[in-house]
Amino acid sequence: MRRPRGEPGSRAPRPTEGVTCAGPGESWSPSPNSMLRVLLSAQASPARLHGLLLIPPVQPCCLWPIKWGNRPLGGCPNAGPVQGLQRLLEQATLQDLSQLIIRNCPSFDIHTIHVCLHLAVLLGFPSDGPLVCALEQERRFRLPPKPPPPLQPVFCGGQGLEAALSCPRFLRYPRQHLISSLAEARPEELTPHVMVLLAQHLARHRLREPQLLEAIAHFLVVQEAQLNSKVVQKLVLPFGRLNYLPLEQQFMPCLERILAREAGVAPLATVNILMSLCQLRCLPFRALHFVFSPGFINHISGTPHALIVRRYLSLLDTAVELELPGYRGPRLPQRQQVPIFPQPLTTDRARCKYSHKDIVAEGLRQLLGEEKYRQDLTVPPGYCTDFLLCVSSSGAVLPVRTQDPFLPYPPRSCLQGQAASNPTTRDPAQRVVLMLRERWHFCRDGRVLLGSRALRERHLGLMGYQLLPLPFEELESQRGLPQLKSYLRQKLQALGLRWGPEGG
């Protein structure tokens, strides 16, 4: 009985018999004679040449020995080119093949020409011979004409920098070395639009470049008369965000004059400028009088930005309460106040998978117990804390559920004096706030806290909370939960805290 093709013991013609083939990773160069023996097996004619050559280019791997019994259903995908060339060259010699292709190549499409060029190389035809030259000529003729390169615009002044700062890739990624080098090119001579792009790039990527920031401050002073508050808010943004107060002596007087001139024109820009100055602890009294006036508050109530403006005004009012004891002007009415930052900031939510918060929470749970700390608690007037502990005057960590976790706001400075004068008064519990200082809470140099973070810590401290920072360098150096628990234990004990049976 005839055996089906592919069964063990069957004998089928192998298209690659007689060809010296290389294994994977080895070089392979067939000789023309061995290739010709492989390819001579079927009848071919000039009329069939075009159709027979419509095959993928031959790859060296398709000439490796293949057992027909191991072929996948439908045939080996690499055997097709070899079989087609076999049928093409069964009755042909190399010279006949060359003449056949040269005569018919004007009717070939570009794919067929590429196949023939590949075949010529495999069979050893010289690169300057008539076959290869004819195919190359047809290949160049088939290719569409290459359009001339567009004329590159000649950038002058800040146009090149504007184009670079505006391209999407530059917007997404910091270019610290390039940005640093711009300080040597007198950027104060650039246009306001370019300076805005530069300021936004510094703020977006947390690039604290003092020389460039000084140049922006100088530009603002020199161009004061030509700048409106909408442009100024963008130029001032990096100073507050990067926690950098420029050395330019006219920086603050210039901003006060611009605010006095523009405050009624663009309310949102006005409070944005004041927010940046609040982060720098440089709030001008005159501008505060204006934004806390009934007229300004009534004006912004009907605008699309009413909620964000009220949030900024609430933060400014907190800064006045805590940092400006000499201020005697109007304040934000109680009914207009809203929580400042009632939830973790957008950056923290976006990078939560890189945060140490979960492992720190687990460490505190195992170290103290779940009842002795609160996570992500928002305390008046609206600051979100990472972890909060209530501690007695003797240092014992108390269950949070038995204590009011909030300190009074506005803070009562006479509270400790009242407790000292009345011995029967219960010892007030301290509030300890553990502050995660993640890598993205700092400028890119990793040493200076961003303005918003520094402001939060400053205000919490002024409200009476005891702060325990947990820097990212220390958190990243802990290897596993046991080491982290030991680290947290040392941090808490350094504050004099006690817990467990001996701590109450």
Side-chain angles (χ1 to χ4, degrees), residues 162-176:
E162 179 178 349
L165 291 170
S166 302
C167 75
R169 183 170 180 81
F170 201 93
L171 291 174
R172 290 182 58 188
Y173 301 103
R175 296 291 185 270
Q176 193 160 3

Side-chain angles (χ1 to χ4, degrees), residues 1-323:
M1 184 177 66
R2 183 180 179 182
R3 294 185 180 181
R5 173 182 288 183
E7 286 188 4
S10 64
R11 177 67 176 173
R14 296 185 180 181
T16 54
E17 283 186 347
V19 182
T20 302
C21 299
E26 300 177 3
S27 59
W28 179 83
S29 56
S31 65
N33 292 334
S34 62
M35 276 296 302
L36 189 59
R37 286 197 302 272
V38 172
L39 298 175
L40 292 176
S41 65
Q43 183 176 3
S45 65
R48 299 178 57 201
L49 181 62
H50 183 268
L52 289 172
L53 286 177
L54 290 177
I55 51 178
V58 178
Q59 302 294 334
C61 62
C62 72
L63 298 176
W64 297 348
I66 300 174
K67 292 184 178 180
W68 288 92
N70 295 334
R71 290 178 58 187
L73 186 63
C76 174
N78 293 326
V82 176
Q83 292 175 341
L85 293 175
Q86 286 177 318
R87 292 193 299 271
L88 173 67
L89 293 174
E90 181 182 3
Q91 304 297 330
T93 65
L94 291 180
Q95 185 176 4
D96 294 336
L97 172 67
S98 174
Q99 295 300 322
L100 190 64
I101 295 177
I102 290 174
R103 286 196 306 269
N104 290 274
C105 69
S107 63
F108 295 166
D109 60 17
I110 187 64
H111 176 70
T112 307
I113 291 174
H114 283 158
V115 172
C116 291
L117 278 170
H118 192 79
L119 176 63
V121 173
L122 289 179
L123 296 179
F125 285 96
S127 60
D128 57 350
L131 174 61
V132 175
C133 289
L135 290 170
E136 283 289 351
Q137 181 179 355
E138 290 297 332
R139 184 184 68 83
R140 289 191 295 268
F141 181 75
R142 297 292 188 279
L143 292 177
K146 187 177 181 180
L151 296 177
Q152 298 296 328
V154 180
F155 294 116
C156 60
Q159 289 181 306
L161 179 58
E162 179 178 349
L165 291 170
S166 302
C167 75
R169 183 170 180 81
F170 201 93
L171 291 174
R172 290 182 58 188
Y173 301 103
R175 296 291 185 270
Q176 193 160 3
H177 296 298
L178 174 60
I179 291 295
S180 301
S181 66
L182 293 177
E184 304 173 1
R186 297 183 63 81
E188 67 272 12
E189 298 178 357
L190 302 174
T191 64
H193 179 60
V194 175
M195 294 301 288
V196 164
L197 292 175
L198 182 59
Q200 291 175 332
H201 189 80
L202 294 177
R204 181 183 297 112
H205 296 294
R206 301 178 283 119
L207 299 175
R208 198 174 194 263
E209 296 289 340
Q211 197 170 354
L212 277 179
L213 291 168
E214 291 292 342
I216 295 173
H218 181 68
F219 177 87
L220 192 149
V221 170
V222 172
Q223 300 289 332
E224 173 188 344
Q226 284 73 41
L227 301 177
N228 58 47
S229 57
K230 292 184 178 180
V231 174
V232 172
Q233 68 172 340
K234 299 174 183 177
L235 293 177
V236 175
L237 173 66
F239 295 97
R241 175 165 170 75
L242 301 173
N243 202 3
Y244 182 85
L245 181 62
L247 300 176
E248 171 64 59
Q249 295 183 354
Q250 291 300 313
F251 179 74
M252 281 305 303
C254 172
L255 288 178
E256 291 185 26
R257 291 190 295 268
I258 293 175
L259 285 171
R261 184 183 74 221
E262 298 273 336
V265 179
L268 183 59
T270 299
V271 294
N272 278 334
I273 295 172
L274 288 175
M275 280 290 296
S276 295
L277 296 181
C278 181
Q279 294 171 345
L280 297 174
R281 288 180 280 187
C282 296
L283 287 172
F285 280 28
R286 185 178 177 183
L288 291 174
H289 278 258
F290 179 81
V291 297
F292 287 142
S293 66
F296 183 85
I297 294 173
N298 291 334
H299 174 67
I300 62 100
S301 297
T303 65
H305 309 293
L307 179 59
I308 189 65
V309 172
R310 287 174 60 194
R311 181 167 294 166
Y312 288 173
L313 290 180
S314 299
L315 189 146
L316 292 173
D317 188 78
T318 300
V320 169
E321 175 69 37
L322 299 175
E323 302 187 39

